[in-house]
Each structure stands twice: as C-alpha cells, then as structure tokens.
Amino acid sequence: MNINWFPGHMKKTRELLKSNLKLIDVVIELLDARIPMSSKNPEIDSILGDTPRVVVLNKSDLSNNRANNMWMQYFNSKGEDVILANSIKNKGIKEIIDLTNKKAFDKLERLKKRGVKNRAVRVMIVGIPNVGKSTLINGLAGKKSAKTGNRPGVTKGKQWIRLKGNIEMLDTPGILWPKFEDKKVALNLAFTGAIKDEILDIETLGLKLIERLLALSPESLINRYNIDVEEKTPLEIYDEIAIKRGCILKGNNIDYTRVSHIILDEFRRGKMGAITLELP
C-alpha cells in the first residue's frame, strides 16, 4: 500500500505553524497512544525547535497499560514531559492545564518584570488527523468550542479558543507529512484512522490488520470473534470472521469490503481490547 498524500490544506498548516510560533508560549503535542512514534510528525521537531512542549498520549484507554508505561519512560528519557489522556472522558485534562502553566511560568514572570501583567498563557496544539484534538480542546475549554468528529480532517481553519486556567489556545488542523517512507508507519496510521479510508484499499487494509493482530495480540481475535486462530492463515481467519458476521454476497462469495469495515471499526473503537501497535 504505497501512500503518498499531501493535501493543500496540510501544506498551509505547516506554514501556519511556522508563522504563528512566535506568538506561542507552550506547544501541546498530541500523539495516539496506540502508535506514539508513527503518529509523531517528524517535521514537528524541526518546526518547533526549543519551544516548551507538553507531550500528550491520547486514546490511552485504547492502548495497553504496560505499553503506556513503556512509552512514558521513553519520552521521559528524552527529556519530554508526557501525560496519558482520554479526551472523550476528560482524563488528563487537569494535568495538561497544570503542566502547561508550569512550562510557561518563567516566560510570564519575565513579561511581568517588563510591565506585562495577567497575560494568558498562549498555547498551540499540534497533532495528526483523527488523534482527538477537537475533543481534547473541548475538555480543556469545559465547553463545546471546537468542531469534533470521528473522521480525519474535520478541523480545517484557524481559531483561538479560551481554555481553563487562564490559557488561550491556537487550534490548528491535523497535519501529516508529504510521504510515508516507512510502510509500517503508513499502515499504523491507516489502521487507526488517521488516513481517510476512501483513499485506501480497504480490503487489503483489513487483511493487514489481521496479520498484525495475529503477531501482537491473537487473543483479541479469539475473544472478539469466538474463533480458533491456531495454524490458520490471515486469509482463513478473514473468511471465518466474515461468515460469523454474515458478510456474504450472492453465490456464497465473501463480502471483503463489508467485513473489512467491521474489523477496522471494532479495532478503532477498542472492541477487541486495549492494543498498542508499536513499542519503543
């Protein structure tokens, strides 16, 4: 699955990040806890430079607890402050606000000495599409401030949002990078919904997810679909899930498109359990 996708609005977002960074005190970098490295835009580090940063591993309820701890230790070892979050249930909101204010304290103190008092902490939130930015922003604001959706690309414009804790946030659309050189990274992004299903070979993607789950968490397939996976090929398991879910066309042919959507949707919503697709 060779993916080369760089919509125009993503190029504009990259330019927006660069042009507005001088206004920002702290950057909140939002990653998907199931794929922390794959969901980390490699361009972000060079764009942000030395700007203070808070790393948030969102959707931590969908990822494995042991893996969450491993990733936290990994980022801590790199000198990054990291918070586990579940934006849907507002988990981690207070910790993000507190750490953001802590990161901006020195700069605000310098501004006070120059006569600038009571200025709000200015933050920018960055992250790939469908990582949960809009939902997190609503939690940080304590109200429905940003457009939300379960499809990538819902947030398209630029907006400042007033948050709790005397914080102002510049929201930015999700940004991917021009080309995915690593096939595994591209698949991880596709599995978790960061790339729109409409531009993918959804049938192959469903089969690839079964292959990955067989290697990482075969019990997730066994428990969810009540099937035996031992000594079976991914395609045989694919067919068995389709039959179990009634994904059959005329002539007793398998409806691979339909069963692929079922498998991907149930993985993304955590119906198969808490699964992390990559480790440090």
Side-chain angles (χ1 to χ4, degrees):
M1 298 182 68
N2 186 21
I3 300 171
N4 189 339
W5 184 48
F6 198 35
H9 80 270
M10 290 191 175
K11 182 176 184 295
K12 293 177 182 177
T13 301
R14 184 170 62 184
E15 294 169 353
L16 178 72
L17 293 177
K18 291 180 179 179
S19 63
N20 287 284
L21 196 58
K22 59 183 178 292
L23 306 174
I24 300 300
D25 304 319
V26 180
V27 171
I28 298 175
E29 182 181 14
L30 193 59
L31 305 176
D32 188 323
R34 297 167 295 180
I35 53 168
M37 197 53 64
S38 293
S39 61
K40 181 179 178 64
N41 187 334
E43 295 185 349
I44 287 296
D45 288 345
S46 61
I47 293 173
L48 300 184
D50 296 328
T51 305
R53 190 183 326 188
V54 175
V55 176
V56 178
L57 298 181
N58 196 32
K59 303 188 179 183
S60 61
D61 57 311
L62 300 178
S63 55
N64 181 273
N65 284 332
R66 178 173 170 272
N68 287 342
N69 291 331
M70 292 175 67
W71 278 111
M72 289 188 71
Q73 292 173 11
Y74 170 83
F75 283 108
N76 289 158
S77 72
K78 301 292 183 181
E80 300 280 5
D81 291 304
V82 60
I83 294 172
L84 292 175
N86 173 0
S87 58
I88 293 177
K89 294 186 177 180
N90 286 334
K91 177 186 174 183
I93 296 297
K94 183 179 184 302
E95 291 86 348
I96 294 170
I97 292 172
D98 290 346
L99 185 55
T100 298
N101 277 290
K102 181 180 177 181
K103 290 274 187 178
F105 180 80
D106 289 344
K107 182 175 181 178
L108 294 186
E109 285 297 304
R110 290 195 298 271
L111 289 174
K112 283 182 182 179
K113 291 178 180 178
R114 290 161 48 189
V116 180
K117 298 181 179 180
N118 300 321
R119 181 171 78 72
V121 177
R122 294 172 179 170
V123 304
M124 178 188 292
I125 185 167
V126 297
I128 65 170
N130 209 33
V131 75
K133 290 198 313 301
S134 296
T135 305
L136 180 69
I137 292 168
N138 291 335
L140 290 168
K143 57 186 177 181
K144 192 171 184 179
S145 303
K147 294 179 181 179
T148 61
N150 58 4
R151 291 162 57 84
V154 171
T155 307
K156 291 286 180 66
K158 169 186 173 182
Q159 53 184 335
W160 284 94
I161 300 169
R162 189 77 178 187
L163 307 181
K164 301 174 184 176
N166 195 32
I167 297 173
E168 291 179 345
M169 174 175 286
L170 174 63
D171 182 31
T172 58
I175 179 171
L176 288 171
W177 46 103
K179 187 177 181 180
F180 308 117
E181 302 291 349
D182 189 325
K183 183 178 179 181
K184 190 172 183 179
V185 169
L187 285 173
N188 283 342
L189 292 167
F191 291 150
T192 54
I195 302 170
K196 292 180 180 180
D197 289 339
E198 288 86 345
I199 69 166
L200 301 170
D201 176 355
I202 198 72
E203 296 178 2
T204 300
L205 188 62
L207 182 60
K208 291 291 185 182
L209 179 55
I210 289 175
E211 289 179 0
R212 185 73 66 81
L213 292 175
L214 271 177
L216 292 176
S217 179
E219 65 277 4
S220 63
L221 294 170
I222 296 170
N223 295 334
R224 181 62 186 170
Y225 301 108
N226 192 27
I227 58 176
D228 179 13
V229 301
E230 191 172 350
E231 297 185 2
K232 290 182 180 177
T233 66
L235 183 56
E236 288 171 337
I237 295 170
Y238 206 10
D239 290 348
E240 193 167 341
I241 294 173
I243 293 170
K244 288 264 186 180
R245 292 304 178 91
C247 300
I248 307 299
L249 299 168
K250 290 182 179 179
N252 286 327
N253 293 316
I254 300 293
D255 187 343
Y256 287 112
T257 299
R258 185 180 167 201
V259 72
S260 294
H261 280 294
I262 289 173
I263 293 168
L264 288 164
D265 179 67
E266 294 188 351
F267 166 75
R268 291 167 182 171
R269 291 193 293 139
K271 297 294 185 181
M272 297 183 188
I275 302 170
T276 300
L277 295 179
E278 61 185 6
L279 296 174

